[in-house]
């Protein structure tokens, strides 16, 4: 998931009058009035050739004939705030979840939708819709068998796009793309690739490993060779304290009967509880993931006042959130259900804190 023209879109949300005309977020260096570079620009400005990284003076030249263009200084605090809200939503949709920048993250959804991509587009649509409704931002999502392909897919469907690449379509999708679309092939690398006859990603398939190694060294050669084949085995990894523990199961049959669903929730509660126990941690936030018989994915979460690691508490909260959802959707039946814990702290630190307070 990658947010569209992120900093500029944040500014459009703060001041909707800026929509529909070129808007540029600038990093002013302060040396003279217009010295500095463009951080990002909305699509209206991009239509005039404006790109991240070009001098502000150049952008002004491109937009000479568009006096209604707006140039704004960066407001990183606001963008970080928006980013946090988006990521709090996104992490409910993947397990594991990995944030890799202010405006991008990866979600492992295999355990949620299964191996066959069934329901993956609905899941992505729900995520897009929730981010748009709650925060107001549009984003683009690529769904693929690995992170490399998902990233390229999201880049090719911008803005407000959704692109699914199934295993059988990998080479057909990758080969015609220009080589610059491959992560790691920057401005300097493009002419080097070109001198080897590589203009498209597919052209890489024509070079043998020896030739690649001679030109790029062993590590990069291996990366290019694999990437051109759509191979990437780097897993989605939780980062730092943002880790979460979760488990999703399929109900024996589709149901909206809380007593029936509770038997599955009991099973999951024990599992996540034991994993917390093993690691000696307590949680503050519990979320449920609810996948309906129409393969629509919903999530609900609750942050509790005091930390917990009680089996009873997990089950209780899980049931409560599920019941609230079922009341809101009286005709919906659930097919799969999951629980996710986050906001961890080690149980030890709590003990020592309470001792200290005594
Ligand atoms: P990107 O996701 O690369 O760009 P974007 O979100 O503006 O546009 P797109 O719709 O193509 O995704 O980067 C995210 C933010 O990082 C961007 O809004 C501003 C900042 N940024 C810079 O400050 N300088 C840069 O050169 C780039 C590429 C991004
Ligand atoms: Mg972006």
């Amino acid at each position: 998931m990658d947010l569209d023209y992120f900093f500029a879109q944040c500014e459009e949300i703060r001041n909707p009058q800026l929509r529909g005309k070129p808007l540029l977020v600038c990093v002013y260096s302060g040396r003279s009035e217009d010295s500095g570079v463009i951080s990002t620009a909305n699509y209206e400005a991009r239509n005039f050739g404006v790109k991240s990284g070009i001098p502000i003076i150049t952008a002004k030249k491109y937009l000479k004939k568009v006096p209604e263009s707006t140039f704004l200084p960066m407001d990183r605090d606001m963008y970080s705030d928006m980013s946090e809200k988006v990521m709090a939503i996104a992490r409910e949709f993947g397990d594991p979840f990995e944030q890799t920048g202010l405006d991008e993250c990866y979600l492992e959804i295999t355990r949620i939708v299964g191996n066959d991509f069934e329901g993956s587009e609905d899941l992505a649509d729900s995520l897009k819709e929730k981010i748009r409704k709650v925060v107001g931002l549009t984003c683009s999502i690529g769904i693929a068998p690995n992170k490399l392909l998902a990233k390229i897919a999201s880049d090719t469907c911008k803005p407000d796009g959704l692109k699914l690449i199934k295993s059988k379509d990998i080479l057909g999708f990758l080969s015609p793309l220009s080589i610059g679309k491959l992560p790691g092939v920057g401005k300097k690398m493009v002419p080097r690739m070109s001198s080897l006859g590589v203009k498209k990603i597919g052209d890489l398939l024509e070079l043998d490993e020896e030739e690649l190694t001679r030109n790029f060294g062993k590590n990069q050669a291996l990366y290019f060779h694999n990437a051109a084949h759509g191979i990437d085995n780097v897993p989605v990894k939780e980062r730092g304290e943002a880790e979460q523990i979760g488990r999703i199961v399929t109900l024996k049959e589709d149901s909206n009967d809380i007593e029936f669903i509770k038997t599955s929730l009991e099973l999951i509660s024990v599992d996540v509880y034991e994993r917390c126990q093993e690691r000696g941690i307590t949680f503050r936030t519990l979320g449920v993931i609810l996948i309906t018989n129409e393969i629509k994915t919903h999530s609900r979460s609750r942050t509790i006042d005091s930390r917990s690691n009680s089996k009873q508490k997990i089950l209780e909260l899980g049931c409560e959130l599920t019941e609230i959802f079922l009341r809101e959707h009286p005709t919906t039946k659930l097919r799969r259900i999951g629980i996710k814990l986050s906001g961890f702290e080690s149980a030890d630190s709590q003990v020592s804190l309470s001792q200290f307070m005594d």
Side-chain angles (χ1 to χ4, degrees):
M1 190 283 298
D2 188 304
L3 295 165
D4 301 323
Y5 65 101
F6 178 45
F7 294 180
Q9 208 189 160
C10 290
E11 296 292 349
E12 285 184 356
I13 288 169
R14 168 156 51 194
N15 183 358
Q17 286 178 342
L18 300 175
R19 280 186 201 279
K21 49 197 183 187
L23 171 62
L24 304 90
V25 175
C26 309
V27 188
Y28 290 103
S29 71
R31 227 166 288 142
S32 64
E33 200 192 333
D34 277 343
S35 68
V37 294
I38 301 300
S39 167
T40 197
N42 66 1
Y43 280 79
E44 284 80 356
R46 291 182 197 191
N47 286 339
F48 289 88
V50 175
K51 284 193 284 208
S52 295
I54 67 167
I56 298 169
I57 300 170
T58 310
K60 289 213 161 158
K61 247 184 254 163
Y62 292 167
L63 292 163
K64 202 165 57 225
K65 296 200 176 111
V66 200
E68 66 272 32
S69 306
T70 311
F71 291 75
L72 293 174
M74 287 233 280
D75 178 355
R76 195 168 265 283
D77 286 346
M78 185 219 185
Y79 315 145
S80 300
D81 224 50
M82 300 284 267
S83 165
E84 264 179 42
K85 286 185 190 146
V86 170
M87 295 303 162
I89 294 169
R91 69 164 54 254
E92 300 287 324
F93 285 77
D95 188 13
F97 162 89
E98 180 180 8
Q99 184 177 345
T100 47
L102 217 48
D103 87 325
E104 67 170 41
C105 61
Y106 292 93
L107 301 115
E108 174 62 74
I109 58 169
T110 309
R111 283 163 67 185
I112 301 173
V113 301
N115 275 320
D116 53 5
F117 291 98
E118 190 198 353
S120 64
E121 284 170 298
D122 284 337
L123 179 86
D125 270 329
S126 318
L127 174 57
K128 279 165 69 82
E129 176 61 17
K130 189 152 183 192
I131 293 173
R132 204 195 49 69
K133 230 163 96 185
V134 178
V135 193
L137 290 164
T138 65
C139 65
S140 298
I141 296 180
I143 309 167
N146 60 50
K147 294 208 288 191
L148 174 76
L149 290 166
K151 182 172 178 65
I152 301 173
S154 81
D155 282 342
T156 60
C157 69
K158 280 187 162 293
D160 201 10
L162 173 56
K163 172 106 188 135
L164 166 64
I165 298 168
K166 296 190 179 177
S167 303
K168 65 176 173 44
D169 302 323
I170 292 175
L171 287 186
F173 164 75
L174 270 184
S175 296
L177 297 177
S178 57
I179 188 70
K181 294 262 189 250
L182 199 63
V185 179
K187 248 190 284 174
K188 285 189 193 140
M189 185 69 86
V190 172
R192 274 178 75 193
M193 284 284 182
S194 186
S195 71
L196 296 170
V198 178
K199 294 212 155 46
K200 306 214 143 102
I201 295 177
D203 296 335
L204 272 177
L205 299 172
E206 309 294 321
L207 300 185
D208 58 38
E209 272 187 73
E210 195 217 337
E211 201 173 357
L212 278 172
T213 308
R214 212 170 342 109
N215 283 282
F216 302 107
K218 213 170 154 189
N219 287 342
Q220 243 181 349
L222 184 65
Y223 167 72
F224 288 140
H225 176 83
N226 282 340
H229 289 86
I231 299 168
D232 164 39
N233 294 319
V234 184
V236 180
K237 270 203 291 286
E238 293 282 343
R239 295 193 172 193
E241 54 176 8
E243 260 181 285
Q244 49 184 318
I245 290 179
R247 168 96 193 267
I248 295 173
V249 295
T250 304
L251 300 175
K252 291 217 173 62
E253 58 187 61
D254 297 352
S255 168
N256 56 7
D257 172 4
I258 187 68
E259 287 307 318
F260 176 77
I261 295 168
K262 199 171 169 183
T263 53
S264 291
L265 281 171
E266 268 162 3
L267 206 104
I268 306 171
S269 299
V270 172
D271 181 65
V272 293
Y273 164 77
E274 281 173 355
R275 279 154 68 195
C276 277
Q277 279 291 91
E278 272 162 30
R279 289 164 51 182
I281 50 180
T282 55
F283 68 92
R284 272 203 71 184
T285 303
L286 180 144
V288 288
I289 301 167
L290 307 146
I291 298 145
T292 68
N293 55 352
E294 285 158 339
I295 326 279
K296 290 253 182 299
T297 301
H298 302 264
S299 62
R300 295 285 183 272
S301 71
R302 169 90 46 90
T303 298
I304 51 181
D305 291 336
S306 54
R307 350 201 96 264
S308 168
N309 182 24
S310 122
K311 218 179 328 189
Q312 194 48 37
K313 188 82 190 164
I314 297 172
L315 181 60
E316 207 179 279
L317 277 172
C319 284
E320 194 183 325
L321 292 170
T322 306
E323 271 190 283
I324 294 173
F325 172 83
L326 289 173
R327 268 204 301 278
E328 288 168 359
H329 300 78
T331 56
T332 299
K333 285 191 172 179
L334 297 180
R335 173 164 154 182
R336 308 188 74 207
I337 186 150
I339 285 182
K340 266 184 7 179
L341 302 178
S342 58
F344 298 119
E345 207 169 83
S346 90
D348 289 349
S349 69
Q350 219 190 357
V351 172
S352 53
L353 183 67
S354 58
Q355 279 168 348
F356 176 73
M357 300 209 5
D358 285 340

